[in-house]
Amino acid sequence: MCGIAGIYDLKGKNRIQRETITRMLEKIRHRGPDGMDTHIDYNIALGFSRLSLIDLEHGMQPLSNEDGSLILICNGEIYNYKELRNSMEQRGHRFRTKTDVEVILHLYEEYQTRFLNRLNGQFAFVIYDKKRGELFCARDHVGITPFFYTIVDGLFIFASEIKAILEHEWIERKVDLTAMDQMFTFPGIIAPRTMFQGISSLEHGHYLHICKEKVCNVEYWDLEYPKQEIGFTDRDIPHYLDELDGILKQSIKDRLHADVPVGFYLSGGLDSSLIAYYANKYIEGERNSFSINFPDRRISEAESQKLMVGQIRSMHTESMVAPESIARLLPRTVYHSETPLKETYNTASYVLSESVHGKNVKAVLTGEGADELFGGYVGYKFDKIRGINKKEKLSDEERRLRYLIWGDADFLYERNFTDLLKWKKQIYSAQLLERFHEFNCLNYSVVPVEKLKDVSIINRRSYIDFKLRLPEHLLAGHGDRMCYANSIEARYPFLDLNVIRFATQMPSELKLHHLKEKYILKKLAENKLPDKIIHRPKFAFVAQGTPELLQLKSEEAEYLYDILSYEKLKRMGLFNPDYVLQLVHQYEQPGYQLNLPFEHDLLILVITFALFLEEFHIQSVL
């Protein structure tokens, strides 16, 4: 919906400068090109950059309550706002706009900080309570909407994107080495860390309550799984299908609500095709679908996309992503992602949202979340196979690390930790290895291991995927940043709270049934989607990788050779130049392919780390 930014002087010294908040908002104008406004008071500045989706005429923020004692800025959508608004009006509250987010102000008036679990949506908001002299900041349950913040000499500085925070003259630009190590170890950075030392990402399902100089970070929601496996019979399956059908329909209908056109992504896979099937029934007027494709037929999903387009008869826009496009867009996607990248997927996401913007569509539905909730990744199958065979022999060190991180010495998440440590010792520079004990991300657990006890192996992996893969990786880098780079909002029907509750409380066997992943979604899709889409193997949607980039002879790729020069690598100080050049030689061999997603693309991390340092003008790393 927009971008938000602000400064709050915890010390009450009136150190707010209008030009600073203006610069911060200008830096994220791409999130809200339809208008900007601010509220500046004695010790606070609140800024809003608007992407108009609902109540186009009167929806500008900041918004205030009836007596002006509360000021709100909110980035996001509240999908159950109509029922909440009716409830508040019955209690005597008066609304000034028809926007969905105004209801947050009145809920706060009624319940203070206790209303968050009444909301069903994607949001990051700040409420300034003038009477109490307090700030209340919250991020949605799942982490769809970003919220970054830092505290410098008693100034609480926040924004929807880090680049806005960097506009404040007191902010130092330093790399968080533990965050970097997390990228080499897990799917991505894990909140509250960001790639910038001292700048935090508010965790999903958390809020900040700021009173005087005290900042309290509180968890208000988390996934909950049953401690005992839920049994079922074949007679129960129709009941589960009916329930899923109903809540998914409602989720999609809710996310189509807007005063502007809403389209949908169409990858050719099961998840996006199901959304397209339902959305096609509820969109009035022109149905706009969008996809990307690749010249390389090995990674093309054009056939499946055409099947779905033919069925729903949408106005379809296909964008081709060639290797030279990836090379050209990589610096821009690193800038918008605000982090190095583990693959070149973000460039494809950028092209996709660019095509949406070109059709004057402002919001799209997309299928993220289904794999994490319904057992869609290959790891779920491997867990079951390992449970049957139980032949894996592990070193004592590997067992120690797995127990520390997951609370289970036998649980494998993607790769052995001891193998990862060997790779790090090869790729990190000697200077970095001298300090490795300080920033090693395996020094502590990254998930609350007590919540993994006594749950099924499928639900355990689901919880970890939800924590490590979804918020700060898929929803942030691939979703929010790449969409808003082109002033587009992404909406996620599978991440509706009712869908999440259903998925977490259903029998695990209906997610992975005799090694058939997303079993219940496939059953739901019967008689709705073409059989070729339902029963096709899961397609790893990964854009062309570094090997292809290195083989380019075009001008767009020349900067790669500069980045990967021995001198440049040596000056960067993070990576071992000899090992990196050994990787370059390996990648340049004819026919060389990474075994994605089972291998790290170490070279793309090196390349995008160099781009990250350049894009954000970070001079000193160590």
Side-chain angles (χ1 to χ4, degrees), residues 185-188 190 342 372 377 379-380 382-383 386 392 398 402 405-406 408-417 420 446-447 452 457 460-470 473-474 597-598 600:
T185 309
F186 303 113
I190 304 162
K342 300 193 70 165
E372 290 79 7
Y377 295 121
Y380 295 90
F382 286 170
D383 285 340
R386 279 192 294 268
E392 189 177 20
E398 180 66 30
R402 291 191 191 184
I405 305 301
W406 314 124
D408 183 346
D410 294 313
F411 183 75
L412 173 66
Y413 189 75
E414 293 193 342
R415 296 165 184 86
N416 285 333
F417 290 131
L420 286 169
V446 290
V447 294
L452 300 177
I457 188 68
R460 181 184 305 169
R461 181 171 291 275
S462 175
Y463 184 84
I464 294 170
D465 276 338
F466 214 87
K467 288 286 189 181
L468 303 192
R469 191 182 302 279
L470 201 58
H473 178 49
L474 295 180
F598 305 107
H600 272 316

Side-chain angles (χ1 to χ4, degrees), residues 117-180:
N117 281 319
R118 295 172 181 262
L119 302 177
N120 191 353
Q122 53 191 76
F123 54 83
F125 67 77
V126 175
I127 294 175
Y128 174 48
D129 188 328
K130 291 184 180 180
K131 290 180 179 178
R132 296 171 179 265
E134 297 177 2
L135 216 59
F136 179 49
C137 317
R139 188 180 182 193
D140 65 68
H141 303 73
V142 179
I144 297 169
T145 309
F147 187 91
F148 299 102
Y149 67 96
T150 189
I151 300 174
V152 182
D153 192 21
L155 287 186
F156 177 78
I157 307 167
F158 66 88
S160 296
E161 295 185 15
I162 295 172
K163 55 181 67 68
I165 294 175
L166 296 176
E167 284 301 296
H168 197 286
E169 57 270 21
W170 291 1
I171 303 298
E172 291 187 71
R173 303 184 182 212
K174 292 184 177 180
V175 172
D176 186 312
L177 294 178
T178 300
M180 182 197 74

Side-chain angles (χ1 to χ4, degrees), residues 125-271:
F125 67 77
V126 175
I127 294 175
Y128 174 48
D129 188 328
K130 291 184 180 180
K131 290 180 179 178
R132 296 171 179 265
E134 297 177 2
L135 216 59
F136 179 49
C137 317
R139 188 180 182 193
D140 65 68
H141 303 73
V142 179
I144 297 169
T145 309
F147 187 91
F148 299 102
Y149 67 96
T150 189
I151 300 174
V152 182
D153 192 21
L155 287 186
F156 177 78
I157 307 167
F158 66 88
S160 296
E161 295 185 15
I162 295 172
K163 55 181 67 68
I165 294 175
L166 296 176
E167 284 301 296
H168 197 286
E169 57 270 21
W170 291 1
I171 303 298
E172 291 187 71
R173 303 184 182 212
K174 292 184 177 180
V175 172
D176 186 312
L177 294 178
T178 300
M180 182 197 74
D181 196 53
Q182 286 179 346
M183 289 205 69
F184 278 88
T185 309
F186 303 113
I189 301 172
I190 304 162
R193 291 193 181 274
T194 71
M195 194 53 71
F196 294 85
Q197 184 179 310
I199 299 178
S200 298
S201 172
L202 181 58
E203 302 95 319
H204 73 92
H206 282 237
Y207 70 80
L208 299 175
H209 187 204
I210 303 169
C211 179
K212 296 181 180 178
E213 294 190 44
K214 186 177 181 181
V215 180
C216 298
N217 186 322
V218 180
E219 182 182 68
Y220 69 87
W221 181 90
D222 197 11
L223 292 171
E224 292 185 7
Y225 291 94
K227 293 297 185 181
Q228 293 183 344
E229 186 52 70
I230 299 171
F232 75 100
T233 67
D234 288 346
R235 291 193 300 273
D236 297 322
I237 294 178
H239 162 74
Y240 283 106
L241 286 171
D242 285 345
E243 185 177 353
L244 179 56
D245 180 66
I247 58 178
L248 193 54
K249 279 180 183 175
Q250 188 60 51
S251 174
I252 290 168
K253 287 171 71 174
D254 289 343
R255 282 156 181 78
L256 289 172
H257 177 67
D259 295 330
V260 295
V262 179
F264 48 89
Y265 285 162
L266 198 56
S267 71
L270 174 67
D271 310 330

Side-chain angles (χ1 to χ4, degrees), residues 275 345 366-372 470 474-475 478 492-495:
I275 290 172
Y345 176 104
T366 182
E368 277 80 4
D371 287 320
E372 290 79 7
L470 201 58
L474 295 180
L475 297 179
H478 293 174
Y492 304 87
F494 284 109
L495 294 176

Side-chain angles (χ1 to χ4, degrees), residues 19 43 101 161 190 236 288 353 460-461 494 561 567:
E19 54 268 29
N43 282 308
V101 300
E161 295 185 15
I190 304 162
D236 297 322
N288 287 284
S353 69
R460 181 184 305 169
R461 181 171 291 275
F494 284 109
Y561 294 96
E567 293 75 18

Side-chain angles (χ1 to χ4, degrees), residues 386-435:
R386 279 192 294 268
I388 295 169
N389 296 334
K390 293 185 177 179
K391 292 181 179 178
E392 189 177 20
K393 292 183 179 180
L394 303 172
S395 67
D396 290 342
E397 177 63 4
E398 180 66 30
R399 293 184 65 83
R400 183 190 72 81
L401 288 169
R402 291 191 191 184
Y403 186 80
L404 172 66
I405 305 301
W406 314 124
D408 183 346
D410 294 313
F411 183 75
L412 173 66
Y413 189 75
E414 293 193 342
R415 296 165 184 86
N416 285 333
F417 290 131
T418 47
D419 291 341
L420 286 169
L421 286 169
K422 291 176 185 176
W423 293 344
K424 291 175 190 179
K425 288 178 180 178
Q426 290 178 300
I427 200 165
Y428 287 169
S429 69
Q431 297 166 281
L432 211 57
L433 289 174
E434 287 178 4
R435 296 178 52 189

